């Protein structure tokens, strides 16, 4: 497969192709493949990998994303790697001497999803060689530059990180509805949220025992103290099982006092 | 610096602390530090790094983020590493047997920005050891779990990638007008969120009294029952005043028993 344009030998995924231009270390290619698969991207293209291809370091660094590695297509030139694509993005810093559209990964994700709604539309994202990034000739093959907003004082992302920064936005944009839902209290299957009657039972149990123990020795404060306790227990979002546990705690704490 | 709680020796940054729990390879610590600095995060804490500290591999893999590495604070335990923090998040998969709030990095970013608008409020994010993630006892120290939405068929992120996935959302939320996702606790002016040392004091107080009262009569269940109690109290987002109230409740309930 090395050194030939083998794009026709595998089935394209519905996401954009990730195109690594002249990557150097196999380890970085592998970590990029892992980041791709984390984001549901499977189509990897390599332009003239420095250490040849296949590369064992890439397989081991992929941490199980070897399907992505094994299906990687290798090209001699960037123009060969993008020849069958309809829209190409370049993930890189902005070149000083070119007028280019610069968008964020979030904007690119929305654009790619919209564009690929037509099944025959194919897209790809170019990533440059480690440290040096893309050459202007590569960028000139692109429709827009993708720049992730990062700390301007320390903006150099490692290759896999750059792939993830873009790929993750693409993945999340496909999930949009789930992302919009609020925080989710994961409750183990065996239990369910307590209902208000169960909570009321807990509050009364606690307050009765506190009364007996003399906790409400300043009568005027009883209402506000009870309210504060109810409020903080309420906030915990207790399950039915937890209400029973807390009632057990109260009973246990006072047990010996009754003996 | 290794093996001691050196958190007082450096100036905290305005972002959350990144806490790596028992990280194994220095290279991964370095790549995590690079990802942090890409996202403008500078406060690194390490809990029992396997290969000791300092670690030359960490410096070289940080690709210039050696300021982060050199200022890292090392702790023996996770509870030591979070003791001065007011809100702690755990970046991990959802545990099967705990009732825990699960939020996305985007939601966590909004929450952290809102919470840290009060300058004295300090937060941190726990990341687990490579491959194994966080233990349930670490998660029990946290207020919520952060799970990045990724490919469910290939969800294991490398350590630096996980740091980036969370850190980048925090960075971006600081750029845009962070959309407040609600769920933020309005805390009366006279009090402040309890820090983790205060919570730890509450947990130990409760557990000591429960032990005396025979609540843990099935010894094998003690760990899981303690964890469940800590977890539900943690979820309430207690203030320092409320911790004192609850300790008063415990003392009152057991008072008569001691007579």
């Amino acid at each position: 497969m090395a050194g030939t344009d083998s794009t026709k030998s595998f089935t394209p995924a519905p996401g954009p192709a990730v195109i690594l231009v002249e990557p150097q270390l196999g380890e970085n290619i592998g970590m990029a493949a892992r980041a791709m698969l984390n984001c549901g991207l499977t189509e990897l293209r390599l332009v003239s990998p420095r250490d040849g291809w296949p590369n064992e370091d890439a397989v081991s660094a992929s941490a199980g994303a070897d399907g992505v590695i094994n299906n990687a297509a290798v090209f001699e030139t960037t123009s060969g790697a993008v020849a069958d694509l309809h829209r190409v993005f370049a993930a890189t810093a902005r070149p000083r001497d070119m007028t280019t559209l610069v968008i964020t990964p979030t904007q690119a994700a929305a654009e790619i999803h919209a564009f690929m709604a037509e099944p025959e539309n194919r897209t790809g994202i170019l990533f440059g060689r480690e440290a040096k990034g893309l050459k202007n000739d590569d960028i000139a093959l692109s429709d827009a530059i993708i720049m992730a907003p990062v700390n301007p004082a320390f903006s150099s992302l490692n290759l896999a990180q750059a792939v993830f920064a873009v790929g993750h936005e693409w993945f999340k944009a496909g999930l949009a509805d789930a992302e919009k839902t609020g925080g989710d209290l994961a409750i183990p299957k065996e239990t369910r949220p307590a209902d208000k009657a169960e909570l009321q039972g807990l509050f009364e149990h606690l307050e009765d025992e506190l009364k007996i123990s003399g906790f409400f020795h300043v009568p005027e404060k009883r209402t506000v103290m009870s309210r504060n306790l109810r409020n903080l227990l309420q906030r915990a979002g207790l399950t039915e099982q937890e209400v029973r546990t807390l009632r057990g705690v109260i009973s246990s704490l006072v047990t010996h006092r009754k003996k």
Side-chain angles (χ1 to χ4, degrees), chain A:
Chain A
M1 180 144 61
T4 61
D5 283 10
S6 57
T7 181
K8 291 179 188 80
S9 67
F10 65 97
T11 311
V18 167
I19 305 156
L20 306 183
V21 179
E22 296 177 20
Q24 298 176 339
L25 294 171
E27 189 187 1
N28 286 330
I29 300 171
M31 292 200 300
R34 177 180 182 179
M36 286 175 62
L37 196 54
N38 285 147
C39 303
L41 296 173
T42 56
E43 187 177 348
L44 175 61
R45 302 181 180 193
L46 304 172
V47 177
S48 293
R50 184 190 66 184
D51 297 340
W53 196 257
N55 182 321
E56 266 314 305
D57 290 346
V59 175
S60 55
S62 75
D66 43 316
V68 173
I69 296 287
N70 293 335
N71 282 324
V74 179
F75 300 83
E76 287 179 13
T77 62
T78 307
S79 60
V82 303
D84 64 322
L85 303 178
H86 304 97
R87 200 161 294 183
V88 174
F89 301 84
T92 192
R94 177 197 309 247
R96 276 163 306 179
D97 52 351
M98 291 169 75
T99 302
T100 320
L101 180 65
V102 179
I103 59 179
T104 65
T106 310
Q107 291 165 328
E111 165 113 9
I112 291 170
H113 275 286
F115 187 69
M116 294 185 84
E118 287 296 322
E120 66 271 24
N121 284 348
R122 306 189 65 188
T123 67
I125 307 167
L126 299 171
F127 294 86
R129 55 195 72 60
E130 296 95 328
K132 287 188 175 171
L134 293 167
K135 293 176 186 159
N136 282 358
D137 285 347
D138 300 325
I139 296 170
L141 294 165
S142 311
D143 299 284
I145 282 179
I146 305 177
M147 273 182 72
V150 292
N151 178 0
F154 192 76
S155 61
S156 161
L157 298 178
N158 98 6
L159 184 57
Q161 211 73 273
V163 169
F164 187 83
V166 178
H168 198 215
E169 291 304 320
W170 176 81
F171 182 80
K172 288 193 292 182
L175 290 177
D177 286 346
E179 175 77 5
K180 280 175 203 144
T181 63
D184 165 35
L185 197 60
I187 292 177
K189 279 258 181 293
E190 319 79 68
T191 187
R192 59 164 177 76
D195 64 29
K196 294 302 169 191
E198 287 157 349
L199 283 176
Q200 193 64 28
L202 169 65
F203 299 154
E204 286 168 6
H205 184 178
L206 177 60
E207 286 160 16
D208 286 349
E209 292 293 356
L210 286 173
K211 195 173 167 189
I212 292 168
S213 75
F215 186 75
F216 300 120
H217 55 277
V218 184
E220 314 82 74
K221 285 196 178 170
R222 177 175 176 167
T223 308
V224 70
M225 295 194 85
S226 295
R227 190 195 301 138
N228 289 347
L229 284 171
R230 287 173 180 230
N231 183 36
L232 74 87
L233 286 168
Q234 194 108 245
R235 284 204 315 264
L238 300 173
T239 66
E240 171 269 336
Q241 169 68 61
E242 288 170 337
V243 166
R244 278 192 282 130
T245 299
L246 286 176
R247 295 191 66 160
V249 163
I250 296 166
S251 298
S252 181
L253 290 176
V254 303
T255 295
H256 292 252
R257 146 180 131 194
K258 285 180 178 160
K259 274 179 185 168

